Amino acid sequence: MLPKHVAIIMDGNGRWAKEQRLPRVSGHRAGVDSVRDIVQACGQLAIPHLTLYAFSTENWKRPKSEVSVLMELLMVYLRSEIEDLNRNNVRLSAIGQLNALPKPVQKELHSSMEKLAGNTGLNLTLALSYSGRWDIVRAVQTLALDVRRGKLSPEDITEDLFQTYLTTADIPDPDLLIRTSGEMRLSNFLLWEMAYAELHIASVFWPEFRRDHLYQALSDYLQRERRFGKTSEQLTESGSQSRSYVQKIIDLITRQ
Ligand code: IPE
Ligand code: IPE
Ligand code: MG
């Protein structure tokens, strides 16, 4: 089956720009075209959830000028894409320390989310000023408050309950994580949620990543055996998908 949730670490904008002898920010600008294509392709494939890592908590440490271009680009993206997103039936949400974003960005973000709230297609989540550890600590704080208020006792805390305190409570865990630019690390993205995600590292930089690269990642994913700790034999017993079925989906995807 195709993944229900694809998460992407959009990396390599700066290196792409450097290769073209352009300033780093041109790489961020060019990356917007990749976002457009991938969002559209995921919608067409009826993938229910797509989460894009657009700005990490650690990215605040970059030069001020680069941070302000990134914030501006986010505004431009939301303004220029809203109609297209709406036409494509996309719903928008955001995770992260949103109140750390500049006020105009927060406003634009909230109004875009509101405009798209009634849509029923792809759920697009932007991770903005996000870090996995920040989210886990925030969840622990809220949980601790609920214990102090007597709403919960420590024995009630299970993995399932804990998950409901994360900002991703309403989204299933990612099945597939894609990172572009060849880097093989999580960089503080969805740490709890990534427990059993399949990893796909694409060598191209984010501004070069297009739907064909996504199809490659998906066809790669479809050939993985997700064992979740079990043995291969156990999976076959419980009726895992036949190779011909997997091949059929791959053909369908690559023919699009
Ligand atoms: C990803 O590209 C965009 C953000 C992190 C905001 P980078 O800006 O990290 O590009 P590289 O990794 O320096 O090439
Ligand atoms: C991860 O990329 C964050 C985003 C893509 C938004 P970085 O480029 O910031 O990650 P590191 O610093 O190379 O780990
Ligand atoms: Mg990077």
Side-chain angles (χ1 to χ4, degrees), residues 10-15 24 59 62 179 181 183 185:
M10 309 183 288
D11 198 15
N13 294 352
R15 278 164 285 160
R24 285 182 59 83
N59 289 149
R62 292 192 178 191
R179 183 167 187 155
S181 84
E183 301 293 359
R185 55 178 171 269

Side-chain angles (χ1 to χ4, degrees), residues 152-215:
L152 280 178
S153 65
E155 303 78 62
D156 297 331
I157 303 170
T158 59
E159 289 185 13
D160 284 346
L161 180 88
F162 182 74
Q163 190 265 336
T164 66
Y165 282 81
L166 292 169
T167 51
T168 50
D170 299 330
I171 318 175
D173 287 346
D175 301 297
L176 171 64
L177 168 74
I178 300 173
R179 183 167 187 155
T180 55
S181 84
E183 301 293 359
M184 299 192 192
R185 55 178 171 269
L186 293 179
S187 301
N188 218 345
F189 190 36
L190 301 174
L191 297 179
W192 170 277
E193 298 85 342
M194 220 66 98
Y196 265 103
E198 294 294 327
L199 312 182
H200 178 93
I201 308 296
S203 56
V204 294
F205 297 131
W206 177 249
E208 301 165 315
F209 193 86
R210 287 293 186 278
R211 60 183 69 204
D212 281 344
H213 301 98
L214 175 73
Y215 298 158

Side-chain angles (χ1 to χ4, degrees), residues 28-29 32 36 68-83 85 104-105 108-109 112:
H28 299 316
R29 289 207 179 91
V32 175
R36 188 179 305 117
S68 47
V69 169
L70 282 165
M71 293 300 139
E72 203 186 293
L73 265 180
L74 183 59
M75 297 262 292
V76 170
Y77 171 77
L78 292 170
R79 279 194 194 138
S80 64
E81 300 301 313
I82 187 89
E83 294 309 325
L85 292 171
V105 175
E108 196 67 41
L109 191 61
S112 305

Side-chain angles (χ1 to χ4, degrees), residues 23-165:
R24 285 182 59 83
V25 293
S26 308
H28 299 316
R29 289 207 179 91
V32 175
D33 294 337
S34 304
V35 172
R36 188 179 305 117
D37 196 44
I38 297 310
V39 168
Q40 214 181 65
C42 285
Q44 285 168 358
L45 289 166
I47 289 171
H49 298 274
L50 171 68
T51 301
L52 300 177
Y53 202 9
F55 193 85
S56 73
T57 309
E58 289 77 16
N59 289 149
W60 289 114
K61 296 180 202 149
R62 292 192 178 191
K64 247 191 171 146
S65 54
E66 182 169 339
V67 170
S68 47
V69 169
L70 282 165
M71 293 300 139
E72 203 186 293
L73 265 180
L74 183 59
M75 297 262 292
V76 170
Y77 171 77
L78 292 170
R79 279 194 194 138
S80 64
E81 300 301 313
I82 187 89
E83 294 309 325
D84 243 28
L85 292 171
N86 200 24
R87 215 171 306 122
N88 291 325
N89 202 15
V90 175
R91 242 166 64 112
L92 180 69
S93 48
I95 52 171
Q97 235 168 331
L98 303 181
N99 56 11
L101 299 169
K103 282 278 170 328
V105 175
Q106 291 184 40
K107 234 178 113 198
E108 196 67 41
L109 191 61
H110 284 113
S111 95
S112 305
M113 292 194 287
E114 224 166 84
K115 277 184 204 148
L116 303 174
N119 288 341
T120 53
L122 176 73
N123 288 290
L124 171 64
T125 303
L126 300 178
L128 296 166
S129 188
Y130 173 89
S131 96
R133 286 187 175 178
W134 162 80
D135 201 18
I136 290 169
V137 168
R138 199 200 49 84
V140 170
Q141 284 174 348
T142 327
L143 202 75
L145 277 174
D146 280 351
V147 171
R148 191 163 74 187
R149 287 189 195 119
K151 261 178 80 178
L152 280 178
S153 65
E155 303 78 62
D156 297 331
I157 303 170
T158 59
E159 289 185 13
D160 284 346
L161 180 88
F162 182 74
Q163 190 265 336
T164 66
Y165 282 81

